[in-house]
Amino acid sequence: MSTAPRLTALDALHRSLGATMTDFAGWDMPLRYASERDEHNAVRTKAGLFDLSHMGEITVTGPRAVDLLNFALVGNIGTVSPGRARYTMICAEDGGILDDLIVYRLGETEYMVVANAGNAQLVLDTLTERAAGFDAEVRDDRDAYALLAVQGPESPAILASVTDADLDGLKYYAGLPGTVAGVPALIARTGYTGEDGFELFVAPEHAEELWKALTEAGASRGLIPCGLSCRDTLRLEAGMPLYGHELTTALTPFDAGLGRVVKFEKDGDFVGRKALEAAAERAESAPPRKLVGLVATGRRVPRAGFSVVVGGEVVGEVTSGAPSPTLGKPIAMAYVDAAYAEPGTEGVAVDIRGSHEPYEVVALPFYKRRK
């Protein structure tokens, strides 16, 4: 039996704006409103407004909430100050990545874990299971929040015009409670586009009111609504991993080049520690395939799963690929054998339906915003 996709609080508004909708991780989400290239460029040069209400919010509270999170996740949550956030991962016992997460410390003993939409139930179930023996509560708050994001160089000015929160004092990967256009919100300086921007967690009943207020406030600064399609090209240009592409249960954080998120020095045991210690040693002695950027010399676009070849031999696999509006060329992220991972390595090609198309190996990210 097929189940109907879930709808965000903004579903009717998206349809009224003429959005092309798509099923994404069990949610009906806007793919684009008009031109995905225009949406992408708006975020790079002005600002874009996103509905991210499909993300999974899980609240962890109680006297031993931090101990639970330190046991359940690979990061050191004990060093996260109130009002700050941390990028981390939840891994299986064998070290495989179950999801990448952002953890916000909302109070002395209250944390919000934000999971990817497709993994939210798994993360909730896993945290609940790992909470056994800890004086902490794991709560499913996915229905308690709608999530809007304003991203792009004009986003601070747009948001400042509708809030009295101290945005200048709000650092990257920090969050503070405030009101935006009269709506109570958790205002976080986070995002997935490579630009400065904010994510706003609000009650679902306030989502439409806030969207309209932000649209009005941003009209003179070039703000336009943006869908999932440009979100993907923006994060790809910024070299940001996407679960199911650059991150999977078959990879440890060390295989993904993100070993820095694993904190062996934290107190106590954590799930996957032994496997991850072994993975760290392997990465030192025999580097696994490395995640690199590939830039096309031609026009053909590589897709996830296409082989990377050198001299007819397969040396890697594309994980994400798309035309880059900013570079004006097709780009891809790929895991390749360490011997071919150095920027400028010659002879690298992608097998696109039998034709070996030449690609330049570059360091990630493809794009970095000007500070």
Side-chain angles (χ1 to χ4, degrees):
M1 283 176 62
S2 64
T3 55
R6 297 180 70 179
L7 308 180
T8 79
L10 293 164
D11 183 75
L13 189 146
H14 297 316
R15 293 173 195 280
S16 75
L17 293 172
T20 299
M21 305 296 286
T22 188
D23 185 341
F24 181 81
W27 290 81
D28 218 7
M29 297 296 294
L31 187 64
R32 72 182 72 80
Y33 295 85
S35 157
E36 52 203 47
R37 177 178 291 272
D38 288 349
E39 291 171 25
H40 178 109
N41 290 334
V43 176
R44 285 280 177 258
T45 60
K46 292 171 184 171
L49 179 59
F50 296 84
D51 178 10
L52 306 180
S53 302
H54 61 311
M55 301 295 282
E57 296 86 7
I58 301 158
T59 303
V60 181
T61 58
R64 295 196 62 203
V66 68
D67 299 325
L68 163 59
L69 291 170
N70 267 346
F71 171 71
L73 312 178
V74 301
N76 189 352
I77 308 307
T79 59
V80 180
S81 304
R84 298 307 302 268
R86 175 79 38 90
Y87 175 78
T88 187
M89 294 182 183
I90 184 167
C91 290
E93 195 70 68
D94 67 0
I97 302 166
L98 297 177
D99 201 14
D100 61 334
L101 312 163
I102 295 180
V103 178
Y104 295 89
R105 187 173 180 186
L106 303 181
E108 198 56 40
T109 59
E110 183 178 7
Y111 296 82
M112 181 168 69
V113 177
V114 180
N116 285 297
N119 294 330
Q121 188 64 47
L122 172 65
V123 173
L124 175 68
D125 293 344
T126 305
L127 284 175
T128 302
E129 181 187 313
R130 293 179 185 178
F134 289 95
D135 186 5
E137 179 196 351
V138 177
R139 188 173 72 234
D140 180 2
D141 271 349
R142 285 176 287 179
D143 291 337
Y145 292 104
L147 177 56
L148 280 64
V150 189
Q151 298 280 301
E154 293 287 344
S155 59
I158 293 168
L159 195 58
S161 72
V162 288
T163 184
D164 56 5
D166 177 18
L167 300 184
D168 289 339
L170 187 64
K171 297 177 180 175
Y172 188 51
Y173 265 70
L176 83 169
T179 57
V180 181
V183 170
L186 172 66
I187 305 165
R189 200 163 206 155
T190 45
Y192 192 52
T193 62
E195 298 297 338
D196 192 9
F198 303 88
E199 295 183 322
L200 308 170
F201 296 85
V202 301
E205 60 266 26
H206 296 315
E208 192 166 324
E209 175 190 347
L210 182 57
W211 179 284
K212 288 176 178 174
L214 289 166
T215 299
E216 191 177 321
S220 64
R221 293 183 178 271
L223 176 87
I224 63 171
C226 294
L228 291 178
S229 187
C230 83
R231 182 171 156 87
D232 191 49
T233 52
L234 289 159
R235 71 91 195 166
L236 177 55
E237 288 183 351
M240 294 177 167
L242 175 64
Y243 196 88
H245 290 254
E246 288 72 41
L247 309 175
T248 69
T249 52
L251 298 170
T252 71
F254 294 94
D255 298 322
L258 291 165
R260 65 181 181 276
V261 306
V262 182
K263 303 300 181 186
F264 293 120
E265 70 277 10
K266 65 179 174 176
D267 293 337
D269 196 13
F270 63 90
V271 178
R273 178 190 272 274
K274 281 200 172 101
L276 289 169
E277 285 173 341
E281 281 181 29
R282 282 196 307 273
E284 281 287 320
S285 57
R289 282 183 166 177
K290 288 190 175 175
L291 188 64
V292 301
L294 299 175
V295 177
T297 56
R299 307 305 306 169
R300 297 189 71 185
V301 179
R303 298 297 181 193
F306 286 12
S307 295
V308 180
V309 294
V310 173
E313 295 293 314
V314 175
V315 300
E317 185 176 300
V318 171
T319 53
S320 297
S324 164
T326 305
L327 275 63
K329 301 174 181 178
I331 60 172
M333 287 200 278
Y335 282 110
V336 301
D337 294 346
Y340 305 101
E342 206 57 41
T345 300
E346 296 185 354
V348 174
V350 176
D351 185 340
I352 301 180
R353 297 182 180 86
S355 172
H356 291 186
E357 302 288 330
Y359 270 75
E360 180 190 354
V361 179
V362 300
L364 292 169
F366 300 97
Y367 166 86
K368 261 189 186 166
R369 72 180 172 94
R370 292 194 190 113
K371 298 291 184 187

